[in-house]
Amino acid sequence: MTTAAFHLHAPDRRESGCVFASPHSARNYPAWFLRASELDALTLRSSEDAFVDQLFAAVPRFGAPLLLAGAPRAFVDLNRNADELDPALIEGVRHAGHNPRVSAGLGVIPRVVAGGRAIYRGKLPQAEAQARIDGIWRPYHAALAAEMDSARAMFGRAILIDCHSMPHEAMDGMVRPGARRPDVVLGDRFGASAAGDVTDRIEAAFTAAGLVVARNTPFAGAYITQAYGRPARGHHAVQIEIDRALYMDESTVRPAPGFAAFQALLSDVIAQITDIGRAASLPLAAE
């Protein structure tokens, strides 16, 4: 692999047990990958959490690390297990029970982007899939695990903020008549991946900024929250999904005119979230 597996932006001084990560915001599509795809670059970007890395760029200023993916989601999906290989895409892979994500073409090496649009003309060699996993997936997760272990050792508990964005249409049909549409969905796997006080305080930070928050519907968290959320061991993981319509034009994948203002609003949210991970605020006896 010629691309970096990840980019770690560390604070000058570590002051919080929070670890922020964005596994889907990379946008560096190699020329050979574009040539091998059935899709143009704009269509490939439809599955990307575009600009989420920029929205959370202020994280290191508040004493926490920010880990960014080094390769796009359409190339390798870091929010999947390394063994979620799609037999409809990867040569030599056998069916191993029903996995709805893999069946939908959304395994660790995706077969489709948003809307079910096929990325490739045919199948990929198994060696190519393994090279992406070994060259990008494993280093990214090794770095994330190391940051979580360091946070736990330094601050008593580690809190992973797994940063994503959601299509505006994701909430269609899920809002009661007369209710405000959620701007943010927090996923803690219905309490399995984070202690209640952690998710409550993250929700409070977004609510204080004037944003409407929902929990676990329609996004409860995927592989990353499942793998890293171990509240009994002092490891908490909460997935954050932000409505893309708040800051970007989804049709052109460009920042909206209000991008800078929304980025500034999120800086206040980040400040409050990192406070959750400061040693003085941790109820260690509850861990």
Side-chain angles (χ1 to χ4, degrees):
M1 293 296 161
T2 57
T3 187
F6 60 87
H7 304 284
L8 178 62
H9 299 273
D12 292 336
R13 179 179 176 184
R14 188 73 177 266
E15 298 177 339
S16 173
C18 290
V19 177
F20 289 74
S22 175
H24 289 161
S25 57
R27 49 190 171 273
N28 53 323
Y29 296 85
W32 66 264
F33 176 67
L34 292 173
R35 289 194 298 270
S37 175
E38 288 276 85
L39 307 175
D40 59 35
L42 183 62
T43 306
L44 282 170
R45 296 192 69 187
S46 64
S47 63
E48 181 186 304
D49 286 345
F51 313 116
V52 166
D53 53 340
Q54 296 178 35
L55 290 178
F56 287 89
V59 164
R61 290 199 286 111
F62 297 100
L66 174 63
L67 180 67
L68 305 176
R73 181 186 188 182
F75 190 75
V76 57
D77 192 338
L78 300 170
N79 200 20
R80 298 290 182 264
N81 200 325
D83 65 5
E84 291 187 80
L85 293 169
D86 186 349
L89 175 65
I90 311 300
E91 293 175 351
V93 172
R94 297 182 179 181
H95 289 273
H98 179 65
N99 180 313
R101 294 188 297 233
V102 172
S103 297
L106 299 172
V108 64
I109 309 298
R111 173 166 40 91
V112 302
V113 296
R117 292 165 289 190
I119 298 173
Y120 305 96
R121 299 179 182 89
K123 286 194 170 188
L124 295 180
Q126 193 165 356
E128 170 61 26
Q130 197 60 51
R132 297 185 196 183
I133 292 167
D134 291 343
I136 296 171
W137 191 97
R138 295 193 191 285
Y140 178 90
H141 282 281
L144 182 54
E147 290 299 319
M148 290 291 285
D149 288 343
S150 177
R152 175 71 170 88
M154 294 176 67
F155 298 94
R157 67 179 176 183
I159 302 170
L160 173 59
I161 311 299
D162 191 39
C163 306
H164 297 260
S165 65
M166 60 183 177
H168 183 68
E169 65 184 19
M171 300 307 295
D172 288 352
M174 295 193 177
V175 183
R176 298 189 307 274
R180 250 186 85 184
R181 186 187 190 96
D183 302 306
V184 176
V185 177
L186 302 182
D188 64 1
R189 300 188 66 82
F190 298 93
S193 69
D197 72 293
V198 170
T199 309
D200 287 347
R201 291 182 65 181
I202 293 172
E203 179 173 349
F206 282 103
T207 301
L211 298 171
V212 178
V213 179
R215 290 200 194 182
N216 293 308
T217 302
F219 305 107
Y223 169 74
I224 287 174
T225 47
Q226 183 177 16
Y228 291 91
R230 296 286 186 272
R233 301 179 189 174
H235 282 216
H236 307 264
V238 178
Q239 178 178 280
I240 295 173
E241 297 275 358
I242 299 174
D243 186 347
R244 293 172 187 164
L246 293 171
Y247 65 90
M248 66 175 280
D249 182 327
E250 292 186 72
S251 63
T252 61
V253 194
R254 292 180 178 176
F259 183 89
F262 188 71
Q263 187 182 42
L265 179 146
L266 278 188
S267 290
D268 292 337
V269 175
I270 292 165
Q272 293 185 55
I273 292 176
T274 53
D275 278 344
I276 304 169
R278 297 183 195 278
S281 70
L282 303 184
L284 297 181
E287 298 293 3

